[in-house]
Amino acid sequence: MAEPVVRIPDAKVALSTASVYPESTATAFEIAARLGYDGVEVMVWTDPVSQDIDALRRLSDHHRIPILAVHAPCLLITQRVWSTDPWTKLQRARSAAEKLGASTVVVHPPFRWQRQYVRDFVTGIWQMANETDVRFAVENMYPWRYRDREMLAYAPDWDVTKDDYRHYTIDLSHTATARTDALQMIDRMGDRLGHVHLADGNGSNKDEHLVPGRGTQPCAELLERLALGGFDGHVVIEVNTRRAMSSAEREADLAEALAFTRLHLASAVKVPRR
C-alpha cells in the first residue's frame, strides 16, 4: 500500500484576544496576523476597543485577519460592560457578530445569584439561536474551590451537557479545573460541539489556561478526534500569557500553541493514495 498522505481539515485556528492580556485587543490582531493565525476571537471586556464594532472592523481590515467569534462579556470583571442586563449583553454580542461576520457567540452559563437569568437561560438561548445564523455556543465551566471547600457558582450547571443547548463550547482549561474527562465531555456534546477553547491545565483550583501540551489535558487527542469527526467549528487558542517576561516571550508561547494545534489537527486525518 502506498504511503498515506495527510489531509488538513477545514477547522480554522483563531487567537483569543484574551491570550495577550495585559496587552491590548489591538495587539492581539497584530500578533495573530504576524504568526499566521486564521482569525481572532474577540473577548469583549474592559478594553474599550473590544466593545467598539467600528474599531474592531478597522483592525480586521488593517491586518487582513477575520473575526471568527465574539465572546460575550460574561466575566465578573465585565458585569457593567454592554449594560448590566445579561440579555442585553447577548443581544449586543449577536449584533456585533453579525456585523463583523463572526459565526459564533461564546457565552458562559449564568452565575447562580442571577436568579431570573438562570430561570430563563436555556429557553432564552434557544430563542436567540432561532433568530440568527450565528451560533450561540454555551461553554463548560467548573466549580469554584478554596482549600477543601467547593462552591457551585454557575447555574443551571457548570457542566453544560446536563442541559439542552443547540451548540456547545468546550474549554480544556475548564475541564482541568473541574477535574472532569474532556474526551467524555465531547462525546456527550456530540455533533452539538460547535467551538473549542484550546488550553491546558493540571487540575489546579485555579483556571490555568496553559499553553497546550504543558498540562495534563488530552489536547492532542481531542484535536485528532475533532479532525477525524469532520469538526466544522473553530479552534481558539485561549491561554494565559500574563507571566511572560517580555512581548517576545508572549509571542513565542502563542507561536508554540499555534504549531501544536496545527500539527495535531493535520496529523489526525490520513488517507492512503490510490
Side-chain angles (χ1 to χ4, degrees), residues 24 93 112 118 121-122 198 207 245:
S24 67
R112 185 168 294 276
V118 171
F121 185 69
V122 177
L198 192 67
D207 184 16
M245 300 301 292

Side-chain angles (χ1 to χ4, degrees), residues 222-238:
L222 182 137
L223 290 169
E224 291 165 9
R225 189 176 296 190
L226 292 180
L228 287 168
F231 177 68
D232 66 350
H234 305 315
V235 178
V236 178
I237 303 301
E238 191 185 71

Side-chain angles (χ1 to χ4, degrees), residues 23-41:
E23 296 196 58
S24 67
T25 299
T27 300
F29 277 82
E30 178 185 344
I31 292 174
R34 185 162 58 245
L35 294 180
Y37 278 83
D38 297 317
V40 299
E41 174 178 300

Side-chain angles (χ1 to χ4, degrees), residues 63-274:
H63 293 288
R64 298 182 181 179
I65 190 160
I67 297 169
L68 302 179
V70 173
H71 195 309
C74 307
L75 307 175
L76 284 173
I77 64 170
T78 59
Q79 290 184 81
R80 296 187 177 276
V81 173
W82 281 359
S83 169
T84 56
D85 175 65
W87 292 113
T88 300
K89 292 174 185 285
L90 295 190
Q91 289 163 0
R92 292 189 65 172
R94 177 185 65 191
S95 176
E98 290 171 343
K99 291 176 180 177
L100 294 168
S103 63
T104 303
V105 168
V106 179
V107 57
H108 292 179
F111 293 112
R112 185 168 294 276
W113 53 84
Q114 297 174 295
R115 294 182 181 178
Q116 185 62 49
Y117 186 38
V118 171
R119 190 174 301 119
D120 299 333
F121 185 69
V122 177
T123 56
I125 289 292
W126 269 102
Q127 181 177 338
M128 293 192 75
N130 287 334
E131 294 171 351
T132 182
D133 291 331
V134 173
R135 294 177 172 182
F136 277 86
V138 186
E139 183 174 359
N140 63 300
M141 299 304 292
Y142 48 85
W144 289 3
R145 296 189 184 94
Y146 179 70
R147 294 182 179 173
D148 59 345
R149 296 185 179 183
E150 183 172 289
M151 173 184 173
L152 300 180
Y154 299 97
D157 204 285
W158 63 264
D159 181 351
V160 292
T161 64
K162 294 182 178 179
D163 293 288
D164 180 30
Y165 302 110
R166 178 172 291 170
H167 290 107
Y168 297 104
T169 296
I170 190 165
D171 183 305
L172 271 75
S173 179
H174 295 176
T175 59
T177 306
R179 299 168 191 166
T180 193
D181 188 304
L183 298 180
Q184 289 181 8
M185 180 168 279
I186 65 166
D187 286 342
R188 295 195 299 276
M189 290 178 173
D191 60 7
R192 296 189 183 192
L193 175 61
H195 201 67
V196 175
H197 280 169
L198 192 67
D200 215 331
N202 289 310
S204 165
N205 288 348
K206 296 181 179 180
D207 184 16
E208 297 172 285
H209 283 274
L210 304 177
V211 170
R214 298 184 184 178
T216 60
Q217 291 303 286
C219 297
E221 294 90 337
L222 182 137
L223 290 169
E224 291 165 9
R225 189 176 296 190
L226 292 180
L228 287 168
F231 177 68
D232 66 350
H234 305 315
V235 178
V236 178
I237 303 301
E238 191 185 71
V239 296
N240 183 348
T241 63
R242 275 176 271 185
R243 292 187 178 180
M245 300 301 292
S246 65
S247 296
E249 184 178 333
R250 173 173 293 108
E251 194 162 322
D253 283 346
L254 299 177
E256 179 184 330
L258 177 60
F260 178 100
T261 305
R262 288 230 168 100
L263 171 66
H264 291 288
L265 279 175
S267 67
V269 184
K270 297 182 180 180
V271 291
R273 289 190 180 97
R274 295 184 178 181

